[in-house]
Amino acid sequence: MIKRSRGAADKMSKGVQFLMKKNKIDVLLGNGKLKAKGQVEVTDKDGKTAVHEAKHIILATGARSRELPNLKIDGKTVIGYREAMNLPSQPKSMIVVGSGAIGVEFAYFYATMGTKVTIVEFMPRIVPVEDEDISKELEKIYKKKGIDVMTNASVEAVEATKTGVKAKVKTATGEISLEADVVLSAVGIAANIENIGLETLGVKTDKGKVLVDKYYATNVAGVYAIGDIVPGQALAHVASREAIVCVEAIAYNEKKYNHKPAVVDYNNVPGCTYSTPEIASVGYTEKAAKEAGYEVKVGKFPIPLPVRQ
Ligand SMILES: Cc1cc2nc3c(=O)[nH]c(=O)nc-3n(C[C@H](O)[C@H](O)[C@H](O)COP(=O)(O)OP(=O)(O)OC[C@H]3O[C@@H](n4cnc5c(N)ncnc54)[C@H](O)[C@@H]3O)c2cc1C
């Protein structure tokens, strides 16, 4: 299954490469770093460097798995998203730390394959950014499926054992010890803002993200940033939209385009979680809408459980 999924991803990547060629976009493979105003230094895999010049530079270096200080990712017993998509063999047991979209997606996938999965979530409910009803329903379904769900719980320490890993978990009722073949750290992302020359040009950051205006311009003229390295939801369609707004605004400012782009409304972004059942949401949750001062009417529709459980 993993081989097939990687094959599909490769195919899509080749499709994008084809589109680059078709649209006459040069792709340089290497590590890019801001060198000076209007200059990017690219180091290729052989260590050779070359400086490229451009009037406008858009940073889009994305993100990686966030690491907790007491849960360092070693790629073997404590893994991140990248390894979870590519495990060479199926673990018999897995502790998933964090129950955001990615955590519950991997938990569902591995549990369906027969892995004994335990979710450890720091917050009082799983998928904490969704409506409370959704969290309750998903927890019920996951438990029925045999997934252990621990909320109000945190992994304090992990130690390697002969067969895998032992985790010390703090719960509301005391500390317990869990053993598993592998721990998946799914506690969010960290933006790739290091070693890309932000300091060289004085590009401002805050809380690990690059600061931008609503057209994705940084505080340094000619340098822009989009996607997971800027504040806002870390989602692929958000990154794409930000890129379009950014490029159209550049063209507008250069008087090459007469339409000022509509800015992204971050309160109106759809999100999907590919568990079973799937979760879809858009806009405010009920609680957030109330907190924002809206009068809220609630409609509820029971949805039959999918046959594929
Ligand atoms: C497991 C997982 C599941 C996800 N599922 C979904 C989903 O279902 N739906 C959804 O909308 N989003 C999903 N996301 C989020 C989505 O992948 C990101 O929001 C999106 O890819 C962000 O796009 P980006 O262009 O900012 O960064 P990326 O797509 O991460 O691209 C950044 C690129 O920059 C390269 N790079 C980094 N530093 C340098 C450098 N110095 N020089 C040159 N290149 C560099 C990286 O190698 C990478 O190729 C998921 C993420 C993960 C990890």
Side-chain angles (χ1 to χ4, degrees):
M1 286 173 85
I2 283 178
K3 201 169 140 197
R4 185 177 182 280
S5 86
R6 294 304 89 207
D10 278 351
K11 224 176 178 174
M12 288 175 73
S13 169
K14 288 209 176 88
V16 174
Q17 282 170 36
F18 168 77
L19 287 174
M20 295 287 172
K21 240 190 205 151
K22 193 174 157 216
N23 288 286
K24 300 187 176 58
I25 297 166
D26 291 334
V27 178
L28 310 166
L29 293 178
N31 199 74
K33 196 173 183 174
L34 292 170
K35 185 160 171 70
K37 203 168 159 37
Q39 288 189 347
V40 175
E41 184 181 74
V42 179
T43 308
D44 71 13
K45 63 176 182 0
D46 302 321
K48 259 210 280 184
T49 62
V51 174
H52 297 267
E53 298 203 336
K55 189 169 173 193
H56 304 285
I57 299 168
I58 303 175
L59 305 169
T61 46
R64 59 186 184 274
S65 293
R66 185 164 79 97
E67 269 188 299
L68 294 176
N70 51 0
L71 194 60
K72 290 269 174 231
I73 295 171
D74 63 13
K76 289 191 175 77
T77 49
V78 180
I79 60 170
Y81 305 135
R82 202 171 275 272
E83 294 86 8
M85 284 192 285
N86 273 304
L87 283 183
S89 62
Q90 191 194 339
K92 284 195 182 67
S93 52
M94 175 185 274
I95 300 168
V96 177
V97 184
S99 70
I102 298 175
V104 297
E105 285 174 1
F106 279 121
Y108 172 79
F109 170 72
Y110 280 103
T112 303
M113 293 296 108
T115 298
K116 175 68 199 157
V117 175
T118 305
I119 296 176
V120 177
E121 168 59 56
F122 180 71
M123 300 294 279
R125 57 194 180 92
I126 59 169
V127 283
V129 301
E130 301 292 345
D131 268 303
E132 280 189 48
D133 291 354
I134 300 288
S135 301
K136 273 189 211 149
E137 203 59 34
L138 194 72
E139 183 170 336
K140 209 162 73 191
I141 294 165
Y142 269 30
K143 282 183 170 164
K144 208 164 141 195
K145 198 177 164 56
I147 298 174
D148 284 336
V149 177
M150 301 174 66
T151 48
N152 288 313
S154 58
V155 170
E156 298 294 295
V158 285
E159 89 187 56
T161 63
K162 266 190 199 146
T163 52
V165 65
K166 197 194 243 176
K168 229 194 267 172
V169 181
K170 198 165 129 193
T171 72
T173 51
E175 204 168 86
I176 59 161
S177 175
L178 290 179
E179 284 198 45
D181 287 355
V182 71
V183 173
L184 166 60
S185 174
V187 291
I189 55 162
N192 296 321
I193 59 166
E194 305 83 2
N195 307 318
I196 54 171
L198 296 183
E199 310 75 22
T200 314
L201 292 191
V203 176
K204 276 194 191 147
T205 61
D206 184 43
K207 298 188 189 85
K209 301 260 178 153
V210 176
L211 287 181
V212 285
D213 68 12
K214 58 189 178 180
Y215 296 107
Y216 307 99
T218 68
N219 61 307
V220 175
V223 180
Y224 310 79
I226 60 108
D228 285 0
I229 57 163
V230 302
Q233 295 93 330
L235 290 168
H237 44 290
V238 173
S240 293
R241 185 68 216 161
E242 289 170 345
I244 292 167
V245 172
C246 178
V247 171
E248 286 186 352
I250 292 171
Y252 178 82
N253 291 335
E254 301 247 306
K255 300 193 172 22
K256 288 180 180 153
Y257 187 61
N258 61 7
H259 171 70
K260 194 157 197 190
V263 298
V264 175
D265 176 357
Y266 290 93
N267 282 324
N268 202 9
V269 171
C272 290
T273 301
Y274 301 101
S275 47
T276 296
E278 289 160 338
I279 302 166
S281 52
V282 63
Y284 289 101
T285 58
E286 183 184 339
K287 187 166 173 269
K290 282 181 181 158
E291 280 168 6
Y294 290 101
E295 214 173 278
V296 178
K297 270 190 188 165
V298 178
K300 292 190 189 187
F301 301 89
I303 301 174
L305 277 181
V307 177
R308 177 169 58 95
Q309 283 185 41

